[in-house]
Amino acid sequence: MRIALLGGTGDVGEGLALRWGRDTDHELLVGSRDPEKARDAAESYAAAVADAGGEADLKGFANGMAADRADVVVLSVPPYHVADTVESVADVLDGEDVVVTPAAGMKRDDDGFHYHPPSAGSVTALVREAVPDPIPVVGAFHNLAAGRLADLDADLGVDTLVLGDDADAKGTVSRLAEEIDGLRALDAGGLANAAEVESVTPLLVNVATNNEGMHDLGVRFL
Amino acid sequence: MRIALLGGTGDVGEGLALRWGRDTDHELLVGSRDPEKARDAAESYAAAVADAGGEADLKGFANGMAADRADVVVLSVPPYHVADTVESVADVLDGEDVVVTPAAGMKRDDDGFHYHPPSAGSVTALVREAVPDPIPVVGAFHNLAAGRLADLDADLGVDTLVLGDDADAKGTVSRLAEEIDGLRALDAGGLANAAEVESVTPLLVNVATNNEGMHDLGVRFL
Protein backbone atom coordinates (compact mmCIF):
# COMPACT_ATOMS: atom_id res chain seq x y z
CA MET A 1 0.00 0.00 0.00
CA ARG A 2 1.14 3.57 -0.67
CA ILE A 3 0.86 5.86 2.34
CA ALA A 4 1.39 9.62 2.05
CA LEU A 5 2.38 11.50 5.18
CA LEU A 6 1.52 15.11 4.40
CA GLY A 7 3.53 17.40 6.66
CA GLY A 8 5.66 14.33 7.11
CA THR A 9 8.66 16.36 8.25
CA GLY A 10 6.82 17.12 11.52
CA ASP A 11 7.04 14.95 14.61
CA VAL A 12 3.93 12.78 14.17
CA GLY A 13 4.80 12.21 10.50
CA GLU A 14 8.32 11.24 11.50
CA GLY A 15 7.08 8.77 14.09
CA LEU A 16 4.62 7.07 11.72
CA ALA A 17 7.22 6.98 8.90
CA LEU A 18 9.79 5.33 11.16
CA ARG A 19 7.35 2.78 12.58
CA TRP A 20 5.76 1.82 9.25
CA GLY A 21 9.22 1.94 7.68
CA ARG A 22 10.62 -0.56 10.15
CA ASP A 23 7.55 -2.76 10.69
CA THR A 24 5.96 -2.98 7.20
CA ASP A 25 6.74 -3.06 3.48
CA HIS A 26 4.43 -0.22 2.58
CA GLU A 27 5.65 2.50 0.22
CA LEU A 28 5.91 5.65 2.33
CA LEU A 29 5.65 9.03 0.68
CA VAL A 30 6.87 11.81 2.93
CA GLY A 31 5.17 15.04 1.88
CA SER A 32 6.03 18.65 2.60
CA ARG A 33 5.23 22.00 1.06
CA ASP A 34 8.96 22.07 0.27
CA PRO A 35 9.89 18.92 -1.72
CA GLU A 36 13.60 19.36 -0.93
CA LYS A 37 12.79 19.25 2.80
CA ALA A 38 10.64 16.17 2.19
CA ARG A 39 13.47 14.38 0.37
CA ASP A 40 15.94 15.22 3.17
CA ALA A 41 13.50 13.93 5.80
CA ALA A 42 12.83 10.72 3.84
CA GLU A 43 16.57 10.12 3.56
CA SER A 44 17.12 10.68 7.27
CA TYR A 45 14.13 8.44 8.24
CA ALA A 46 15.42 5.68 5.93
CA ALA A 47 18.82 5.90 7.64
CA ALA A 48 17.19 5.67 11.10
CA VAL A 49 15.20 2.60 10.03
CA ALA A 50 18.38 1.03 8.62
CA ASP A 51 20.11 1.69 11.96
CA ALA A 52 17.25 -0.20 13.62
CA GLY A 53 17.85 -3.16 11.30
CA GLY A 54 14.98 -2.42 8.90
CA GLU A 55 14.71 -1.45 5.27
CA ALA A 56 12.17 1.25 4.56
CA ASP A 57 10.64 2.21 1.24
CA LEU A 58 10.66 5.97 1.89
CA LYS A 59 10.70 8.85 -0.60
CA GLY A 60 10.09 12.60 -0.31
CA PHE A 61 7.72 14.66 -2.44
CA ALA A 62 5.75 17.89 -2.48
CA ASN A 63 2.46 17.29 -0.58
CA GLY A 64 0.37 17.27 -3.79
CA MET A 65 2.58 14.71 -5.50
CA ALA A 66 2.61 12.48 -2.38
CA ALA A 67 -1.20 12.65 -2.10
CA ASP A 68 -1.63 11.97 -5.82
CA ARG A 69 0.39 8.75 -5.64
CA ALA A 70 -1.03 7.43 -2.36
CA ASP A 71 -3.90 5.12 -1.38
CA VAL A 72 -3.96 6.45 2.18
CA VAL A 73 -3.25 10.12 2.93
CA VAL A 74 -2.31 11.01 6.53
CA LEU A 75 -2.70 14.67 7.48
CA SER A 76 0.23 14.81 9.90
CA VAL A 77 0.08 18.58 10.15
CA PRO A 78 -0.83 20.87 13.07
CA PRO A 79 -4.60 21.35 13.54
CA TYR A 80 -4.51 24.93 12.24
CA HIS A 81 -3.06 23.64 8.95
CA VAL A 82 -5.41 20.74 8.24
CA ALA A 83 -7.93 22.79 6.26
CA ASP A 84 -5.40 24.47 3.95
CA THR A 85 -3.45 21.22 3.55
CA VAL A 86 -6.60 19.40 2.44
CA GLU A 87 -7.43 22.27 0.08
CA SER A 88 -3.95 22.10 -1.46
CA VAL A 89 -4.37 18.42 -2.38
CA ALA A 90 -8.16 18.14 -2.92
CA ASP A 91 -7.78 18.01 -6.74
CA VAL A 92 -5.68 14.84 -6.66
CA LEU A 93 -7.81 12.87 -4.16
CA ASP A 94 -10.25 10.34 -5.56
CA GLY A 95 -12.92 8.00 -4.19
CA GLU A 96 -10.41 5.16 -3.79
CA ASP A 97 -8.32 7.18 -1.34
CA VAL A 98 -8.68 7.31 2.43
CA VAL A 99 -7.81 10.49 4.33
CA VAL A 100 -6.54 9.99 7.90
CA THR A 101 -6.50 12.73 10.52
CA PRO A 102 -4.43 12.40 13.73
CA ALA A 103 -4.56 16.04 14.93
CA ALA A 104 -6.24 17.31 18.12
CA GLY A 105 -6.86 20.97 18.96
CA MET A 106 -5.32 22.11 22.24
CA LYS A 107 -4.64 25.32 24.04
CA ARG A 108 -2.43 25.87 27.03
CA ASP A 109 -3.02 28.09 30.04
CA ASP A 110 -1.56 28.33 33.55
CA ASP A 111 -3.42 25.20 34.69
CA GLY A 112 -2.40 22.92 31.87
CA PHE A 113 -3.52 21.85 28.43
CA HIS A 114 -7.16 21.94 27.44
CA TYR A 115 -9.12 20.58 24.54
CA HIS A 116 -9.81 23.43 22.16
CA PRO A 117 -11.72 22.20 19.13
CA PRO A 118 -12.40 24.30 16.03
CA SER A 119 -15.96 25.50 15.51
CA ALA A 120 -16.71 22.34 13.50
CA GLY A 121 -16.68 20.53 16.88
CA SER A 122 -13.43 18.59 16.42
CA VAL A 123 -10.43 18.64 14.12
CA THR A 124 -11.77 15.39 12.68
CA ALA A 125 -15.08 17.10 11.82
CA LEU A 126 -13.15 20.01 10.26
CA VAL A 127 -11.29 17.54 8.03
CA ARG A 128 -14.59 15.87 7.09
CA GLU A 129 -15.92 19.27 6.02
CA ALA A 130 -12.80 20.03 3.97
CA VAL A 131 -12.39 16.69 2.18
CA PRO A 132 -14.61 16.23 -0.93
CA ASP A 133 -17.67 14.23 0.02
CA PRO A 134 -17.19 10.78 -1.56
CA ILE A 135 -13.70 10.36 -0.08
CA PRO A 136 -13.75 8.64 3.31
CA VAL A 137 -12.15 10.30 6.34
CA VAL A 138 -10.82 8.27 9.26
CA GLY A 139 -9.57 9.62 12.60
CA ALA A 140 -6.62 7.72 14.12
CA PHE A 141 -3.26 8.11 15.85
CA HIS A 142 -4.47 11.08 17.96
CA ASN A 143 -3.18 9.92 21.30
CA LEU A 144 0.35 8.77 20.49
CA ALA A 145 3.27 10.69 21.94
CA ALA A 146 5.34 11.73 18.96
CA GLY A 147 8.62 11.36 20.85
CA ARG A 148 7.88 7.77 21.80
CA LEU A 149 6.66 6.93 18.30
CA ALA A 150 9.88 8.30 16.79
CA ASP A 151 12.10 6.45 19.24
CA LEU A 152 12.44 3.02 17.65
CA ASP A 153 14.02 1.69 20.85
CA ALA A 154 10.82 2.49 22.80
CA ASP A 155 8.12 -0.16 23.12
CA LEU A 156 4.67 1.19 22.42
CA GLY A 157 2.25 -1.18 24.19
CA VAL A 158 -0.57 1.35 23.77
CA ASP A 159 -3.87 1.72 21.97
CA THR A 160 -4.95 4.01 19.20
CA LEU A 161 -8.63 4.84 18.72
CA VAL A 162 -10.02 4.70 15.21
CA LEU A 163 -13.05 6.77 14.15
CA GLY A 164 -14.94 6.68 10.89
CA ASP A 165 -18.28 6.46 9.12
CA ASP A 166 -17.01 4.18 6.31
CA ALA A 167 -16.41 0.64 7.57
CA ASP A 168 -14.01 -0.34 4.77
CA ALA A 169 -11.84 2.74 5.23
CA LYS A 170 -11.86 2.28 8.99
CA GLY A 171 -10.82 -1.34 8.52
CA THR A 172 -7.94 -0.33 6.24
CA VAL A 173 -6.61 2.20 8.75
CA SER A 174 -7.07 -0.18 11.70
CA ARG A 175 -5.02 -2.82 9.91
CA LEU A 176 -2.29 -0.27 9.12
CA ALA A 177 -2.24 0.74 12.79
CA GLU A 178 -1.96 -2.85 14.00
CA GLU A 179 0.94 -3.51 11.64
CA ILE A 180 2.96 -1.23 13.91
CA ASP A 181 4.55 -3.37 16.63
CA GLY A 182 2.95 -2.78 20.02
CA LEU A 183 0.05 -0.72 18.73
CA ARG A 184 -3.54 -1.96 19.14
CA ALA A 185 -6.36 -0.34 17.16
CA LEU A 186 -9.72 0.05 18.89
CA ASP A 187 -12.91 1.21 17.24
CA ALA A 188 -14.27 4.37 18.88
CA GLY A 189 -17.30 4.60 16.59
CA GLY A 190 -18.24 7.23 14.03
CA LEU A 191 -16.64 10.61 13.31
CA ALA A 192 -19.24 12.22 15.58
CA ASN A 193 -17.39 10.67 18.53
CA ALA A 194 -14.13 12.46 17.70
CA ALA A 195 -14.15 15.15 20.40
CA GLU A 196 -13.87 12.59 23.21
CA VAL A 197 -10.95 10.93 21.41
CA GLU A 198 -9.11 14.18 20.66
CA SER A 199 -9.60 15.33 24.29
CA VAL A 200 -7.32 12.55 25.45
CA THR A 201 -4.34 14.30 23.88
CA PRO A 202 -4.27 17.30 26.28
CA LEU A 203 -5.12 14.92 29.14
CA LEU A 204 -1.98 12.88 28.41
CA VAL A 205 0.12 16.04 28.55
CA ASN A 206 -1.47 17.03 31.88
CA VAL A 207 -0.86 13.59 33.39
CA ALA A 208 2.74 13.59 32.20
CA THR A 209 3.28 17.09 33.61
CA ASN A 210 1.90 16.27 37.05
CA ASN A 211 3.42 12.85 37.76
CA GLU A 212 7.10 12.36 38.29
CA GLY A 213 8.75 9.90 35.94
CA MET A 214 5.90 9.90 33.42
CA HIS A 215 6.52 11.27 29.96
CA ASP A 216 5.54 10.56 26.35
CA LEU A 217 2.44 8.85 27.68
CA GLY A 218 0.01 6.66 25.84
CA VAL A 219 -3.20 5.06 26.92
CA ARG A 220 -4.47 1.51 27.14
CA PHE A 221 -8.10 0.47 27.56
CA LEU A 222 -8.69 -2.61 29.67
CA MET B 1 -10.97 7.81 58.41
CA ARG B 2 -14.70 8.36 58.03
CA ILE B 3 -15.89 8.39 54.43
CA ALA B 4 -19.46 9.37 53.51
CA LEU B 5 -20.83 8.10 50.22
CA LEU B 6 -23.75 10.41 49.48
CA GLY B 7 -26.11 8.75 47.06
CA GLY B 8 -24.31 5.63 48.17
CA THR B 9 -27.17 3.37 47.09
CA GLY B 10 -26.28 4.12 43.43
CA ASP B 11 -23.81 2.08 41.42
CA VAL B 12 -20.64 4.16 41.91
CA GLY B 13 -21.34 4.46 45.63
CA GLU B 14 -21.86 0.72 45.84
CA GLY B 15 -18.58 -0.01 44.05
CA LEU B 16 -16.55 2.33 46.27
CA ALA B 17 -18.25 1.02 49.44
CA LEU B 18 -17.47 -2.58 48.51
CA ARG B 19 -13.85 -1.88 47.56
CA TRP B 20 -13.06 0.31 50.59
CA GLY B 21 -15.06 -2.12 52.73
CA ARG B 22 -12.97 -5.07 51.66
CA ASP B 23 -9.56 -3.38 51.25
CA THR B 24 -9.44 -0.90 54.16
CA ASP B 25 -10.52 -0.31 57.76
CA HIS B 26 -12.18 3.02 57.11
CA GLU B 27 -15.59 3.74 58.55
CA LEU B 28 -17.97 3.92 55.61
CA LEU B 29 -21.17 5.95 55.90
CA VAL B 30 -23.60 5.11 53.12
CA GLY B 31 -25.89 8.11 52.59
CA SER B 32 -29.22 8.41 50.88
CA ARG B 33 -32.13 10.84 50.93
CA ASP B 34 -34.02 7.91 52.44
CA PRO B 35 -32.16 6.65 55.56
CA GLU B 36 -34.03 3.31 55.46
CA LYS B 37 -32.73 2.71 51.93
CA ALA B 38 -29.23 3.66 53.11
CA ARG B 39 -29.37 1.19 56.00
CA ASP B 40 -30.57 -1.61 53.69
CA ALA B 41 -27.78 -0.86 51.22
CA ALA B 42 -25.13 -0.77 53.97
CA GLU B 43 -26.32 -4.12 55.24
CA SER B 44 -26.25 -5.69 51.78
CA TYR B 45 -22.76 -4.23 51.05
CA ALA B 46 -21.46 -5.55 54.37
CA ALA B 47 -22.78 -8.99 53.46
CA ALA B 48 -21.09 -8.86 50.04
CA VAL B 49 -17.78 -7.86 51.65
CA ALA B 50 -18.16 -10.70 54.17
CA ASP B 51 -18.76 -13.11 51.25
CA ALA B 52 -15.46 -11.89 49.78
CA GLY B 53 -13.71 -12.66 53.05
CA GLY B 54 -13.57 -9.11 54.37
CA GLU B 55 -15.09 -7.28 57.27
CA ALA B 56 -16.46 -3.85 56.45
CA ASP B 57 -17.37 -1.04 58.81
CA LEU B 58 -20.49 0.07 56.92
CA LYS B 59 -23.55 1.94 58.19
CA GLY B 60 -26.45 3.71 56.51
CA PHE B 61 -27.67 7.26 57.23
CA ALA B 62 -29.57 10.13 55.72
CA ASN B 63 -27.17 12.10 53.47
CA GLY B 64 -26.92 15.01 55.95
CA MET B 65 -26.07 12.77 58.88
CA ALA B 66 -23.47 10.88 56.83
CA ALA B 67 -21.85 14.15 55.67
CA ASP B 68 -21.89 15.54 59.21
CA ARG B 69 -19.97 12.57 60.62
CA ALA B 70 -17.46 12.21 57.76
CA ASP B 71 -13.97 13.53 57.04
CA VAL B 72 -14.29 12.83 53.33
CA VAL B 73 -17.62 13.28 51.53
CA VAL B 74 -18.01 11.55 48.15
CA LEU B 75 -20.79 12.87 45.92
CA SER B 76 -21.69 9.57 44.29
CA VAL B 77 -24.84 10.96 42.74
CA PRO B 78 -25.77 11.56 39.08
CA PRO B 79 -24.38 14.84 37.66
CA TYR B 80 -27.83 16.50 37.62
CA HIS B 81 -28.08 15.91 41.38
CA VAL B 82 -24.67 17.16 42.53
CA ALA B 83 -25.76 20.77 43.07
CA ASP B 84 -28.86 19.96 45.15
CA THR B 85 -27.02 17.24 47.06
CA VAL B 86 -24.28 19.70 48.02
CA GLU B 87 -26.89 22.26 48.99
CA SER B 88 -28.65 19.71 51.21
CA VAL B 89 -25.49 19.07 53.25
CA ALA B 90 -23.67 22.44 53.01
CA ASP B 91 -24.58 23.37 56.61
CA VAL B 92 -22.74 20.39 58.08
CA LEU B 93 -19.55 20.66 56.04
CA ASP B 94 -16.56 22.34 57.65
CA GLY B 95 -13.05 23.33 56.63
CA GLU B 96 -11.61 20.02 57.80
CA ASP B 97 -13.75 18.09 55.33
CA VAL B 98 -12.86 17.15 51.76
CA VAL B 99 -15.58 16.89 49.12
CA VAL B 100 -14.92 14.38 46.33
CA THR B 101 -16.74 14.43 42.99
CA PRO B 102 -16.66 11.42 40.62
CA ALA B 103 -19.49 12.43 38.24
CA ALA B 104 -19.15 13.25 34.54
CA GLY B 105 -21.82 14.82 32.35
CA MET B 106 -22.79 12.77 29.32
CA LYS B 107 -25.50 12.70 26.73
CA ARG B 108 -26.31 9.95 24.27
CA ASP B 109 -27.31 10.23 20.64
CA ASP B 110 -27.40 7.83 17.68
CA ASP B 111 -23.61 7.93 17.32
CA GLY B 112 -22.72 7.20 20.91
CA PHE B 113 -22.02 8.97 24.16
CA HIS B 114 -20.70 12.50 24.24
CA TYR B 115 -19.27 14.72 26.92
CA HIS B 116 -21.95 17.16 27.94
CA PRO B 117 -20.70 19.41 30.72
CA PRO B 118 -22.90 21.82 32.67
CA SER B 119 -22.47 25.53 31.96
CA ALA B 120 -19.82 25.72 34.71
CA GLY B 121 -17.51 23.89 32.27
CA SER B 122 -17.40 20.55 34.06
CA VAL B 123 -19.30 18.74 36.79
CA THR B 124 -16.21 19.22 38.94
CA ALA B 125 -16.40 23.00 38.42
CA LEU B 126 -20.11 22.92 39.26
CA VAL B 127 -19.31 21.19 42.55
CA ARG B 128 -16.58 23.76 43.26
CA GLU B 129 -19.17 26.52 42.77
CA ALA B 130 -21.69 24.78 45.05
CA VAL B 131 -19.39 23.84 47.95
CA PRO B 132 -18.68 26.67 50.45
CA ASP B 133 -15.36 28.26 49.62
CA PRO B 134 -12.94 27.16 52.35
CA ILE B 135 -13.83 23.47 51.90
CA PRO B 136 -11.55 21.73 49.41
CA VAL B 137 -13.03 19.91 46.41
CA VAL B 138 -11.21 17.02 44.73
CA GLY B 139 -12.21 15.26 41.50
CA ALA B 140 -11.53 11.51 41.42
CA PHE B 141 -13.00 8.12 40.44
CA HIS B 142 -14.56 9.52 37.22
CA ASN B 143 -13.39 6.82 34.84
CA LEU B 144 -14.14 3.64 36.75
CA ALA B 145 -16.79 1.30 35.41
CA ALA B 146 -19.29 0.89 38.23
CA GLY B 147 -20.03 -2.73 37.33
CA ARG B 148 -16.38 -3.69 37.55
CA LEU B 149 -15.87 -1.75 40.75
CA ALA B 150 -18.83 -3.52 42.38
CA ASP B 151 -17.67 -6.97 41.25
CA LEU B 152 -15.22 -7.94 43.97
CA ASP B 153 -14.04 -10.87 41.84
CA ALA B 154 -12.87 -8.47 39.10
CA ASP B 155 -9.31 -7.21 39.13
CA LEU B 156 -9.10 -3.48 38.57
CA GLY B 157 -5.59 -2.85 37.22
CA VAL B 158 -6.60 0.64 36.14
CA ASP B 159 -5.84 4.27 36.93
CA THR B 160 -7.95 6.99 38.44
CA LEU B 161 -7.13 10.62 37.77
CA VAL B 162 -7.16 13.00 40.73
CA LEU B 163 -7.84 16.72 40.31
CA GLY B 164 -7.63 19.46 42.89
CA ASP B 165 -6.34 22.87 43.87
CA ASP B 166 -5.57 21.92 47.49
CA ALA B 167 -2.49 19.70 47.70
CA ASP B 168 -3.34 18.23 51.13
CA ALA B 169 -6.87 17.30 50.10
CA LYS B 170 -5.63 15.85 46.82
CA GLY B 171 -3.06 13.79 48.74
CA THR B 172 -5.74 12.45 51.09
CA VAL B 173 -7.96 11.35 48.22
CA SER B 174 -5.03 9.88 46.24
CA ARG B 175 -4.07 7.77 49.25
CA LEU B 176 -7.67 6.59 49.69
CA ALA B 177 -7.74 5.64 46.00
CA GLU B 178 -4.49 3.70 46.19
CA GLU B 179 -5.75 1.75 49.21
CA ILE B 180 -8.13 0.04 46.79
CA ASP B 181 -6.37 -3.05 45.39
CA GLY B 182 -5.40 -2.60 41.76
CA LEU B 183 -6.19 1.10 41.58
CA ARG B 184 -3.44 3.62 40.86
CA ALA B 185 -4.01 7.34 41.49
CA LEU B 186 -2.46 9.79 39.04
CA ASP B 187 -2.40 13.55 39.45
CA ALA B 188 -4.17 15.29 36.55
CA GLY B 189 -3.51 18.80 37.90
CA GLY B 190 -5.94 21.45 39.12
CA LEU B 191 -9.75 21.50 38.97
CA ALA B 192 -9.48 23.56 35.77
CA ASN B 193 -8.30 20.39 34.01
CA ALA B 194 -11.50 18.49 34.87
CA ALA B 195 -13.22 18.55 31.47
CA GLU B 196 -10.51 16.41 29.85
CA VAL B 197 -10.78 13.90 32.72
CA GLU B 198 -14.59 13.72 32.68
CA SER B 199 -14.55 13.33 28.86
CA VAL B 200 -12.91 9.94 29.25
CA THR B 201 -16.12 8.53 30.75
CA PRO B 202 -18.21 8.72 27.53
CA LEU B 203 -15.14 7.62 25.57
CA LEU B 204 -14.94 4.43 27.61
CA VAL B 205 -18.59 3.68 26.86
CA ASN B 206 -18.01 4.26 23.13
CA VAL B 207 -14.97 1.99 23.07
CA ALA B 208 -16.83 -0.74 24.96
CA THR B 209 -19.81 -0.43 22.59
CA ASN B 210 -17.73 -0.71 19.42
CA ASN B 211 -15.27 -3.49 20.30
CA GLU B 212 -16.39 -7.05 20.79
CA GLY B 213 -15.51 -8.56 24.13
CA MET B 214 -14.79 -5.21 25.79
CA HIS B 215 -17.01 -4.06 28.63
CA ASP B 216 -16.75 -2.25 31.95
CA LEU B 217 -13.59 -0.60 30.64
CA GLY B 218 -11.00 1.34 32.54
CA VAL B 219 -7.94 3.17 31.42
CA ARG B 220 -4.25 2.91 32.15
CA PHE B 221 -1.64 5.55 31.34
CA LEU B 222 1.75 4.22 30.32
Side-chain angles (χ1 to χ4, degrees):
Chain A
M1 193 164 275
R2 287 176 159 179
I3 306 171
L5 294 154
L6 307 194
T9 59
D11 56 2
V12 173
E14 177 181 3
L16 290 171
L18 294 179
R19 295 278 169 177
W20 276 322
R22 187 191 63 178
D23 299 340
T24 76
D25 293 325
H26 297 302
E27 190 176 334
L28 303 168
L29 316 171
V30 177
S32 171
R33 278 178 297 186
D34 174 356
E36 189 58 39
K37 228 178 123 189
R39 282 190 288 270
D40 288 350
E43 202 170 308
S44 124
Y45 300 166
V49 171
D51 278 350
E55 193 181 348
D57 186 350
L58 264 160
K59 290 191 192 73
F61 298 95
N63 277 333
M65 179 80 87
D68 191 21
R69 295 182 170 210
D71 309 302
V72 171
V73 176
V74 182
L75 298 169
S76 43
V77 295
Y80 47 89
H81 274 317
V82 292
D84 58 85
T85 302
V86 169
E87 201 180 327
S88 74
V89 302
D91 286 353
V92 302
L93 297 174
D94 64 61
E96 304 294 299
D97 293 333
V98 177
V99 174
V100 180
T101 171
M106 301 198 287
K107 65 175 179 189
R108 183 184 199 159
D109 63 21
D110 289 347
D111 299 297
F113 282 81
H114 303 286
Y115 183 48
H116 185 62
S119 58
S122 68
V123 177
T124 309
L126 178 66
V127 171
R128 178 63 283 175
E129 286 179 7
V131 171
D133 206 27
I135 301 166
V137 168
V138 172
F141 312 115
H142 301 89
N143 308 139
L144 303 174
R148 184 161 166 188
L149 207 58
D151 175 4
L152 290 177
D153 291 329
D155 286 331
L156 293 181
V158 295
D159 294 332
T160 188
L161 297 165
V162 183
L163 296 153
D165 298 328
D166 179 306
D168 288 343
K170 195 153 68 162
T172 298
V173 175
S174 295
R175 282 188 296 276
L176 288 175
E178 297 225 321
E179 285 174 10
I180 293 175
D181 286 358
L183 192 60
R184 179 175 66 163
L186 293 176
D187 187 347
L191 296 178
N193 295 346
E196 287 74 24
V197 172
E198 296 182 16
S199 292
V200 175
T201 307
L203 177 64
L204 290 172
V205 182
N206 292 337
V207 174
T209 306
N210 288 286
N211 296 274
E212 216 175 326
M214 300 195 102
H215 52 92
D216 283 345
L217 288 181
V219 73
R220 186 123 186 129
F221 296 85
L222 73 180
Chain B
M1 192 162 277
R2 285 177 160 180
I3 307 172
L5 294 154
L6 307 192
T9 59
D11 57 1
V12 173
E14 177 182 3
L16 289 171
L18 294 179
R19 296 279 168 175
W20 276 321
R22 187 192 63 180
D23 298 341
T24 77
D25 294 324
H26 298 302
E27 190 176 336
L28 302 168
L29 317 171
V30 177
S32 172
R33 278 176 297 185
D34 174 355
E36 190 57 40
K37 226 177 125 190
R39 281 190 289 270
D40 288 349
E43 201 170 308
S44 125
Y45 301 165
V49 170
D51 279 349
E55 194 181 351
D57 187 350
L58 265 160
K59 288 191 194 74
F61 298 95
N63 277 333
M65 180 80 86
D68 191 23
R69 295 182 170 210
D71 310 301
V72 171
V73 177
V74 182
L75 299 168
S76 42
V77 295
Y80 47 88
H81 274 316
V82 293
D84 59 85
T85 302
V86 169
E87 201 180 328
S88 74
V89 302
D91 286 353
V92 302
L93 298 175
D94 65 60
E96 304 293 300
D97 293 332
V98 177
V99 174
V100 180
T101 171
M106 300 197 288
K107 65 175 178 189
R108 183 184 199 162
D109 63 20
D110 289 346
D111 299 297
F113 282 81
H114 302 287
Y115 183 48
H116 185 63
S119 58
S122 67
V123 177
T124 309
L126 178 66
V127 172
R128 178 63 283 175
E129 285 179 8
V131 171
D133 207 29
I135 301 166
V137 169
V138 172
F141 311 115
H142 301 89
N143 308 139
L144 302 175
R148 184 161 167 187
L149 207 57
D151 174 5
L152 289 176
D153 291 328
D155 287 333
L156 292 181
V158 296
D159 295 331
T160 189
L161 297 164
V162 184
L163 296 153
D165 298 330
D166 179 305
D168 287 344
K170 194 152 70 164
T172 298
V173 176
S174 296
R175 283 187 296 277
L176 288 175
E178 297 226 322
E179 285 174 10
I180 294 176
D181 287 356
L183 191 60
R184 179 174 67 163
L186 293 176
D187 186 348
L191 295 178
N193 296 345
E196 287 74 24
V197 172
E198 296 182 16
S199 293
V200 175
T201 306
L203 177 64
L204 291 172
V205 182
N206 291 337
V207 174
T209 306
N210 287 285
N211 296 274
E212 216 176 325
M214 301 194 102
H215 53 91
D216 283 344
L217 288 181
V219 74
R220 185 121 186 130
F221 295 85
L222 73 181

